[in-house]
Amino acid sequence: MKSTLDVSSLRIQIEEMDHLIDQKLTSSSLFNVTVTEDVIKVFDVANSYMEKYNQVYLNEGHILKALIKTNVIDRFLTDENKQIILTLGTTSRDMITHLGNYTLPKYKFAACS
């Protein structure tokens, strides 16, 4: 909702890149299909972010930050778009809340016979 990406321009760029990608595909133990060197680079950087934060699961925040910091998506996004994506994808989403004043609803259950 906050992105100003032009989908039609992305489609044109993807079509232009299709013939270049075929020349740069490589195998990796991380994937079941061949991928580009850029994909491997992004996952390596994302993995380093995961390790830096002492986490055990690679998440979307790591991937988004790696995509932006490795400059792989520079030709698709403006600086403003990159900042919005980075902010939304890496903002903490802890579900912790204080329930000290919370009162459980009183339900009436029918007796089982």
Side-chain angles (χ1 to χ4, degrees):
M1 291 188 316
K2 295 185 179 192
S3 178
T4 58
L5 289 174
D6 178 19
V7 177
S8 60
S9 70
L10 284 176
R11 286 191 179 117
I12 291 169
Q13 289 179 7
I14 289 170
E15 290 170 4
E16 291 173 357
M17 292 179 62
D18 276 347
H19 70 281
L20 297 174
I21 290 177
D22 290 336
Q23 300 166 4
K24 300 178 186 177
L25 293 179
T26 185
S27 296
S28 169
S29 61
L30 297 174
F31 302 97
N32 293 330
V33 297
T34 54
V35 294
T36 64
E37 292 290 333
D38 285 342
V39 171
I40 294 170
K41 181 170 95 173
V42 167
F43 272 84
D44 286 342
V45 171
N47 190 60
S48 71
Y49 290 134
M50 178 192 71
E51 291 172 352
K52 175 183 172 186
Y53 298 118
N54 293 320
Q55 296 174 332
V56 294
Y57 295 108
L58 194 64
N59 65 41
E60 73 280 1
H62 304 132
I63 300 291
L64 289 171
K65 187 173 180 180
L67 279 168
I68 291 169
K69 297 297 182 178
T70 58
N71 303 322
V72 170
I73 58 173
D74 278 357
R75 68 185 290 196
F76 302 109
L77 301 174
T78 65
D79 287 340
E80 180 184 2
N81 290 142
K82 288 189 277 188
Q83 189 57 48
I84 290 169
I85 291 169
L86 194 56
T87 301
L88 292 174
T90 60
T91 300
S92 177
R93 293 174 294 279
D94 290 336
M95 300 299 287
I96 297 171
T97 188
H98 178 67
L99 297 176
N101 296 326
Y102 180 74
T103 306
L104 290 171
K106 298 187 189 291
Y107 292 105
K108 295 183 180 181
F109 296 100
C112 297
S113 28

